[in-house]
Each structure stands twice: as C-alpha cells, then as structure tokens.
Amino acid sequence: MASFISSLLVLFLISQNSCYSFRSPLSVFKRYQESTRSLSNDCLGTTRPVMSPGSSDYTLDIRMPGVTPTESDTYLCKSYRLPVDDEAYVVDFRPHASMDTAHHMLLFGCNMPSSTDDYWDCSAGTCTDKSSIMYAWAKNAPPTKLPEGVGFRVGGKSGNRYFVLQVHYGDVKAFQDKHKDCTGVTVRITPEKQPLIAGIYLSMSVDTVIPPGVDAVNSDIACLYNRPAIHPFAYRVHTHQLGQVVSGFRVRHGKWTLIGRQSPQLPQAFYPVEHPLEISPGDIIATRCLFTGKGKTTPTYIGGTAKDEMCNLYIMYYMDAAHASSYMTCVQTGEPKLFQNIPEIANVPIPVSPDMMMMMGHGHHHEEAEPEKNTALQQPKREEEEVLDQDVHLEEDTDWPGVNLKVGQVSGLALDPKNNLVIFHRGDHVWDENSFDRNFVYQQRGIGPIQESTILVVDPNTSKVLKSAGKNLFFLPHGLTIDRDGNYWVTDVALHQVFKLGAEKETPLLVLGKAFQPGSDRKHFCQPTDVAVDPITGNFFVSDGYCNSRIMQFSPNGMFIMQWGDETSSTIPKPGQFRIPHSLTMVPDHGQLCVADRENGRIQCFHAETGKFVKQIKHREFGREVFAVSYAPGGVLYAVNGKPYYGDSAPVQGFMLNFSNGEILDTFIPARKNFEMPHDIAAADDGTVYVGDAHANAVWKFSPSRAEHRSVKKAGIEVEEIKEIEIFETHMRSRPKTNETTTEKQAQEKQTQEKQSVVQESSAGVSFVLIITLLIIPIVVLIAIAIFIRWRKVRMYGGDIDHKSESSSGGILGKLRGKGSGGLNLGTFFATHKGYSRKGFDRLSTEGSDQEKDDDDGSDSEEEYSAPPIPPAPVSSS
C-alpha cells in the first residue's frame, strides 16, 4: 500500500493572459519550471507536465496533495488548470488509487472551479459553471485508453480549461496511521486534432428505495434521446454493496439492444462495448440496476455515503466533432410499461467468484511497476508449529492413449470450458527452411491450405476425438487460446493473421491482419505467435512474433488499444525487450500477462492493462530457450524449454514454478517417447498438464502425485517422515541422461545421495549421527593399528624402514586410498571385508567421472527446421 501512497502530485499554476504554442514545448512549459513548489514527503514529485519523447503529447498528474480525511464519507475536491490555452484532447486515463483507501473518484471538466483553495470539501460544489464528467474510477479499476482518433476536447474556445478531481473517502479507519493520500489520475493530452469527440452519458437514479429483506429490487431509468447520433464504445457501472447487476440498452421500435451489462462488485472500469451500435434521435436509452435487500433491517436510499446506494451507468461515446456534446445525463424514472419487455438477462445477477474478488483487493492497482518481493521470506513459519506440506511431482500418465494420436506438427494446446483438451496442429504441412523468403513472405501458397481438420477437441481421459474443425482455413498454425465463452483464438504464421472462431461455427467471428502480408503497423502482423484473453475485460493480447518484437492489446471487438516491446539490442536483454515473444498466459489473480521470451531464455511478466514490466523469471536450467508458458490457479506457472545447443548442459524438460518468487518447484519429462521440441503447454485447474511437441508430433499428459512431508519433533530430534517414498525413486529414474559439467554432475549426485539417505533414515529409524559413528570407529581402529605397526618396525629396523614404507603403499593405506589412486574409496575398502555391503557407497567411486554422460547428445536444437549447430546459433522458426 505504501507504494500507492508514495506518488506524484501535479499542480498547474498559469496566467490566463499568456498564449503558448505546441510547436515550442519548452516555451509552453517554461513558466512551470519556475512555479514548481515543494510537495509533501508522501507525495514527492513535480508540478510540471511531462513531455512524451518524440511527440508533442504530454501527461498531467492530477492528484490529491497529501490529504488525511478525519471523517468517513468525506468528499474532497482539487482543481488543476490546463497548462495551455489552445485546443487539445485527452486520450488516456491512468488511475493511481486503491480501493483500500478511496471509495471512488471522478474527474470533471469545467471553466470555473468552486474554490481557489489548494483543496476543499466538495459539499461546496465542484464547479460554479456547467461541469462534465470525463472519467470515473472505483474498486481498483484498470486504466482507460480511448480508441484511435477519439479524444475529450479541452481548451480552446469551447473546451474546458480546468480539471476538478473529486475523491470519495469511505471508511476513515483506513487513515488510522495518519498517512497522507495522493489518490488521483494521470491524463495524456495531445494537441493533434481528433476527428471524433468523446463524451459521457450518465444514466442515474435519484429516488430508488430498497426495502429490507427483499430478494430483488429493480431501479429503472429511461430517457428519449434527441441529440445527434452517438456511438458508445465503453461503459461503466456503479452501485454500492447491494447492487448485483447493471444493464444498459438501446430501445428502437420496441427492440432492445444491449449496450453493456456488468456486476458492480467487479472492478468498476470502463468495459468495451462488445457489439458496436449507434444511438440516433428517437431511440430510448434504458437502464436497470438490480439490487437485493437481503440482510438489511432498514430501507436503503440513494445517497452519497457508503451506507446509501447508487444506480449509475456511464456510457462513454464518440460523435462527429461538428455536433459534439461532451456530457449528457438522464435521471428520469422508467415507465413500468416500457420495462415489461426488458430482456430477462437484466434480471440475472452476475456471479462474482472469490478469485475475482481477490484480484480486486490485492495487487491490482496499476501503479508504477516494481519487482515483486518474495513474500514467503516476510512471513517465516514458526518452529514450534507442526508444518504439513505437499510436494507435487508431475509424472506422465502412461495409461493415457493420447500420445499416439495421429497428428501433424503440434503447435498449440488449450483447455475449453468443459476441460476438454483442444489440439491445434499442422496436418501434412511442415515449417522448414523453404517456407519463407527473407522478407517473411510465405513461399508455399501453391499447395493450398491444410485440407484436414487442424483443431481437434479431445476427451481428457480417453483421448477420443469429440469434435474437429479448421479444414481448409490455415497454412501454418501456431498459437491457440480459448476464452471463457469457449471461443478459439488462433494464429497462423504463414497468413500473418489472428482469428477468433466460435466453438460451434467454422466461419471466423473476427480476423485481424492481412492475409500473406507481413507488416509492423497496427493493421499487420509478422508471424504472430500466440493470443491471451483477459477474462475480466475481454481485451486480448497478441504476441507478434518472429519478425516483430512486440505485444499488442486489442478490445474484444478488435480495436487496437496499445502495444509495447522492443527488439533485443544487446547480449544482456533489458526488461521489455524480446527475441521472439513465443507464448502468452494471463495471470488474472495478479492482473498480469506473462510472456515466454523464447530466444532470451526467460519469462517476462507485465501489468496487463498498462504494459508496465513487473518481473522476469530466468534460470540456468532453462538453457537458451523458453518455448511456452501456462498459468494455473493457485500461483503455479508451467513452462517448457528448448533442446540444448551443442555444449549446453540444460536438458529439454518441463518446469513447475512458483509464480510469486520464480522458484523451480519441479521438473518433468515423458516416460514414453522423448521431448524433441515441446512447443506448447496447457495446465488444468486440477494440476494436470499437457505438452505438445512440434517435432515428435505428439501430446503428453502429466498428472500430479504428492508426497506428504510432516516435520515433527520426537524425543527432541527433528525427523522428516515421508509417505509414498516411491515417488522419489520413480521421479529420479524417469530423468534422462544428460550432458553435464563435472561440477554439475557432482552436485546432482550429492543431492541424489542426500535424498536417498533421508529415505534410508526414515525407513530404518536410525539416527544419522549413529551411522557416522559406526563408520568412523573401524577407520580409527585401523589407523591406530597401522601407526602401531609402523612404530614397532621403526623400533625393530631403525632407518631401513623408509624404503619399505614407500613400497608398501598398496597395504592398509593403499586399500584406504583405493588401489593407490589418491582418492579415499570407502566402497572398495569395505567390499574387501566380510559382512559389509557396498550399498550406499558405490556412487562414491564415480565422483567426478563422466561415465554417465550422453555421447550422442551433441546435436543442436532443431526448431521448425534444422539450424546450424555451431554457436552463435541463428534465430530459427518454430
């Protein structure tokens, strides 16, 4: 929370008689360099606008100046003067707030604030003239970016010259520590004229009463629209605790068309309008808020405190600049006769899962990105407590017949809402060195699209093909993602396109990119690799890809929102740089998007709504490549790497990772066949993992098995009890032989020996100290005997013993050294004595040897086609 309170404050003090031009940014903002004032230590920053590099755009931080409310349900206002007099346009809003502190905030535009004070109680009003709402936020809502060519007009002859920030502070208990709050929003402003002007239409109830104990109460608002046509593109709902769903409709000639519907208990963001529509004169804009009075003992009224209720629907629209109106309201109660025909969907509450509520309350604040800390270190377990942990290990389900499915190169895997496995493969098409020219143009169009079904829906238990699709649509399939509604999102690297396919329809619902035309602008892709869909907002992300190093974000209907990423420019890649962003996964409970940065051998995670870098996960065990990544609820990240290059030691395998700290929890490999180029991975909620291989043309299923570890104290000695010990043994046997350095070899053997010793200790019930003591005693006795014999010989033969001692190194001390090799080999020594077993000592005689290394594992990692084996290896396709 401290990082949210430590923010920037921007206060703009200007003279209205000054005129400045955007053509000279330094002259525009020169006056702010001199008027910068010191801010509270809790709100360190500058009051100057921040220019965007290479652009005339700039940003303003509009924030509270370090306030500490003393009463609950306090409304505070703060005004900011637009730093220029010329006409400009607001195109982006980024909140700096937390629902733990602020109930909600509104940003108004006007020409005359109600006060000239640094800040004031909003009961005195926000503006003395006509004001308009430009932005609203509540419940940790993410940022809002307007579509291309759309902006809120400010400045000039008709635009607002002041911003007024209003923040509602709910429970004053949040300020028990007397901290100073800097809640606010950063706006991005551009001088470039926008062809379409944005505005807000507010539909609001003023007289709703919610009786106590009533299951369902409707609040209906409706107004006849008689202005020039508007085009809604986003909406936001707002109620307090009793609201269950808010729905907005356009009613035209008796037909109801949905504008937007959402639960007010989710982050109160501006959600994209899924199906574009126009509202024209003569239409009716109708809104219904569904409340419940359950649990209440007194009536609840519309009001401004947290104990009251509200019913608000904000519709963000654009319209032609010639007839633009920036703000409209509707407070008229709807006629019951009209609402008799409202679609039933408006009466159905939207369930809010615990995961979504958790996301709202923790870490989804969209502040400046900071690397996450290992919270496990901050809350150590107490020694006196009995701790029960479960180590989860993944092993191939060898009874699953899906590994023998007849498929082509497997490029994508996903799980549908019914938990069926969906496979995306290339049939008889192969990506090789002849597939593209140097400009990434596909060279094999003449063979036509893949004629067989490229999408297979498979039963996760029997591997029976339940359904197939995708005939004659694709040339070189790559990525596959399935959204919460069961739609398939796929990419084709030959077509340079992204497709949205309905689960029941062969015809694409949405197509982005130009067929066979690689490019790097907003309407083209260049070998796009994967798609991820935000389950909260419906926005989707595209990793683009092999010849572009960027992540692109789009609205649910395919409207471009933003992009980030650069090509790796050095041997040590920086955050946000990519060398083939190959796979994507959403981490909804943290509001993050994670990327398998393939050729940089790492995983990068970003705030999904802002694109701000959060952290990277990189291990030596990954080797040079990370091909795919998948997140499962519970904080577990799964990944697969690539085949090692010549001289590398990291084997090709799967990884189970702790998302919070990046720690490797487990690695896994198949028991049947071998990983050749594992290309994608999909994880189910129950821990089952599927891996698809683009060279082995196979899919494996891995299931979790658990070994319970109980740490207890017996007679003052801590003993680790292990159940199902065979898990360790099976897991170790399933590992393949790999090329390793001597040091790595010794470390692995030492770790294996330690695990085996733990198993032996727990099964025999004998203390480790006792075993060591029993081993040392005979050695000490033998050494004592040797010293005694030497002493006797010296005494008997005098100086003649020197020569005999050197020649007798094969005696007792020779046996201790192991055939005079210079190393102490207990296995050889005890093997010569009756009654002793070599068990547990054999490994000592192979310390440092390379006997177990694979001699035939020197080939380079093949990707979609064979790459030269001598490093530095070129970036290959996959």
Side-chain angles (χ1 to χ4, degrees), residues 21 33 35 81 152 300 421 456 479 498 523 584 626 644 663 866:
S21 170
Q33 297 176 2
S35 64
R81 177 71 157 83
F152 284 90
T300 304
L421 175 66
L456 304 178
V498 175
K523 295 184 179 180
L584 301 176
V626 175
E663 176 188 359
S866 299

Side-chain angles (χ1 to χ4, degrees), residues 478 526-531 542-552 564-568 576-584 594-600 602 604 606 626-627:
H478 201 274
C526 192
Q527 295 177 346
T529 54
D530 203 8
V531 180
V542 178
S543 49
D544 181 42
Y546 283 92
C547 27
N548 292 326
S549 298
R550 61 179 177 175
I551 307 297
M552 305 178 72
W564 71 87
D566 295 298
E567 186 177 357
T568 301
Q577 292 184 338
F578 300 106
R579 193 172 176 217
I580 306 182
H582 195 258
S583 172
L584 301 176
C594 291
V595 185
D597 186 6
R598 199 186 87 174
E599 299 298 313
N600 284 327
R602 62 179 178 173
Q604 295 194 72
F606 304 85
V626 175
F627 267 73

Side-chain angles (χ1 to χ4, degrees), residues 750-762:
K750 182 178 180 182
Q751 185 179 12
T752 304
Q753 182 183 357
E754 289 172 354
K755 289 184 178 181
Q756 290 177 345
S757 67
V758 171
V759 174
Q760 291 167 355
E761 289 167 31
S762 59

Side-chain angles (χ1 to χ4, degrees), residues 47-59:
T47 58
R48 281 174 276 173
V50 178
M51 296 296 299
S52 299
S55 170
S56 56
D57 295 2
Y58 62 96
T59 59

Side-chain angles (χ1 to χ4, degrees), residues 680-735:
D680 201 7
I681 187 169
D685 292 352
D686 63 359
T688 302
V689 174
Y690 301 88
V691 176
D693 196 300
H695 277 180
N697 296 359
V699 179
W700 291 271
K701 178 181 180 180
F702 295 87
S703 299
S705 59
R706 290 173 170 83
E708 296 183 358
H709 294 246
R710 183 181 297 270
S711 178
V712 297
K713 290 188 176 181
K714 294 183 177 180
I717 302 175
E718 221 173 281
V719 180
E720 185 178 20
E721 296 180 349
I722 302 180
K723 299 179 181 180
E724 299 180 352
I725 298 172
E726 64 274 11
I727 292 177
F728 282 122
E729 298 170 348
T730 304
H731 184 63
M732 296 306 297
R733 282 199 302 267
S734 66
R735 292 179 181 269

Side-chain angles (χ1 to χ4, degrees), residues 637-797:
L637 204 61
Y638 298 90
V640 287
N641 66 349
K643 198 170 183 180
Y645 289 89
Y646 179 77
D648 289 347
S649 61
V652 56
Q653 57 189 332
F655 298 87
M656 183 167 64
L657 306 159
N658 183 323
F659 174 77
S660 296
N661 58 25
E663 176 188 359
I664 296 178
L665 303 176
D666 188 32
T667 60
F668 53 95
I669 60 171
R672 298 175 295 172
K673 298 186 177 181
N674 292 316
F675 282 156
E676 295 183 27
M677 194 179 73
H679 196 265
D680 201 7
I681 187 169
D685 292 352
D686 63 359
T688 302
V689 174
Y690 301 88
V691 176
D693 196 300
H695 277 180
N697 296 359
V699 179
W700 291 271
K701 178 181 180 180
F702 295 87
S703 299
S705 59
R706 290 173 170 83
E708 296 183 358
H709 294 246
R710 183 181 297 270
S711 178
V712 297
K713 290 188 176 181
K714 294 183 177 180
I717 302 175
E718 221 173 281
V719 180
E720 185 178 20
E721 296 180 349
I722 302 180
K723 299 179 181 180
E724 299 180 352
I725 298 172
E726 64 274 11
I727 292 177
F728 282 122
E729 298 170 348
T730 304
H731 184 63
M732 296 306 297
R733 282 199 302 267
S734 66
R735 292 179 181 269
K737 298 178 180 179
T738 60
N739 284 327
E740 300 171 327
T741 64
T742 301
T743 303
E744 292 168 338
K745 183 78 172 177
Q746 292 173 344
Q748 184 182 23
E749 290 173 346
K750 182 178 180 182
Q751 185 179 12
T752 304
Q753 182 183 357
E754 289 172 354
K755 289 184 178 181
Q756 290 177 345
S757 67
V758 171
V759 174
Q760 291 167 355
E761 289 167 31
S762 59
S763 60
V766 181
S767 170
F768 177 78
V769 176
L770 181 58
I771 294 176
I772 294 299
T773 302
L774 292 174
L775 293 176
I776 290 177
I777 289 175
I779 298 174
V780 173
V781 172
L782 291 172
I783 294 175
I785 292 173
I787 294 174
F788 176 76
I789 293 173
R790 178 179 178 86
W791 175 78
R792 289 284 302 219
K793 289 183 178 181
V794 169
R795 188 169 182 179
M796 293 174 62
Y797 301 107

Side-chain angles (χ1 to χ4, degrees), residues 43-321:
C43 305
L44 292 176
T46 174
T47 58
R48 281 174 276 173
V50 178
M51 296 296 299
S52 299
S55 170
S56 56
D57 295 2
Y58 62 96
T59 59
L60 300 178
D61 262 355
I62 303 173
R63 302 208 188 188
M64 282 293 158
V67 300
T68 306
T70 57
E71 297 180 1
S72 296
D73 293 311
T74 296
Y75 284 76
L76 296 180
C77 288
K78 167 73 177 175
S79 67
Y80 286 83
R81 177 71 157 83
L82 190 69
V84 295
D85 296 325
D86 294 336
E87 186 174 278
Y89 302 86
V90 178
V91 295
D92 194 5
F93 302 90
R94 296 184 181 273
H96 306 280
S98 166
M99 65 181 290
D100 296 332
T101 302
H103 181 273
H104 73 263
M105 69 176 169
L106 297 173
L107 184 65
F108 294 86
C110 65
N111 286 310
M112 189 61 65
S114 293
S115 174
T116 58
D117 293 342
D118 193 24
Y119 67 94
W120 67 93
D121 190 317
C122 297
S123 59
T126 54
C127 299
T128 58
D129 63 335
K130 182 179 179 181
S131 63
S132 60
I133 297 176
M134 302 177 68
Y135 177 72
W137 172 97
K139 290 185 179 290
N140 291 347
T144 299
K145 185 176 179 66
L146 276 60
E148 188 74 15
V150 177
F152 284 90
R153 184 161 52 196
V154 294
K157 295 181 180 180
S158 56
N160 298 311
R161 299 180 184 275
Y162 280 88
F163 297 106
V164 177
L165 175 68
Q166 180 195 87
V167 179
H168 174 198
Y169 295 99
D171 192 346
V172 75
K173 292 180 181 178
F175 291 90
Q176 288 179 343
D177 59 354
K178 305 300 182 183
H179 73 271
K180 297 183 182 297
D181 181 67
C182 309
T183 290
V185 60
T186 297
V187 297
R188 178 175 291 276
I189 300 175
T190 179
E192 297 181 6
K193 192 174 184 64
Q194 304 295 296
L196 301 171
I197 304 302
I200 295 286
Y201 185 101
L202 173 59
S203 183
M204 177 176 63
S205 173
V206 296
D207 56 5
T208 297
V209 179
I210 304 170
V214 179
D215 287 346
V217 179
N218 295 326
S219 176
D220 296 333
I221 311 112
C223 287
L224 180 68
Y225 184 77
N226 54 14
R227 303 279 190 92
I230 60 175
H231 300 265
F233 63 87
Y235 68 95
R236 173 185 177 267
V237 303
H238 179 70
T239 72
H240 295 171
Q241 295 300 317
L242 302 184
Q244 294 187 300
V245 64
V246 179
S247 307
F249 298 87
R250 180 196 69 184
V251 185
R252 176 180 291 178
H253 307 306
K255 181 179 179 181
W256 293 66
T257 302
L258 181 67
I259 300 173
R261 170 179 175 267
Q262 190 54 275
S263 167
Q265 305 309 322
L266 291 174
Q268 294 185 5
F270 276 97
Y271 293 90
V273 174
E274 187 167 351
H275 301 291
L277 74 162
E278 180 184 84
I279 298 177
S280 302
D283 293 338
I284 295 174
I285 299 177
T287 301
R288 167 166 286 182
C289 296
L290 177 64
F291 296 98
T292 179
K294 293 178 65 176
K296 290 291 184 178
T297 57
T298 58
T300 304
Y301 300 90
I302 297 295
T305 74
K307 296 180 180 179
D308 298 321
E309 266 302 337
M310 288 185 175
C311 171
N312 295 356
L313 173 66
Y314 299 85
I315 300 174
M316 193 176 286
Y317 60 83
Y318 64 80
M319 60 193 309
D320 185 74

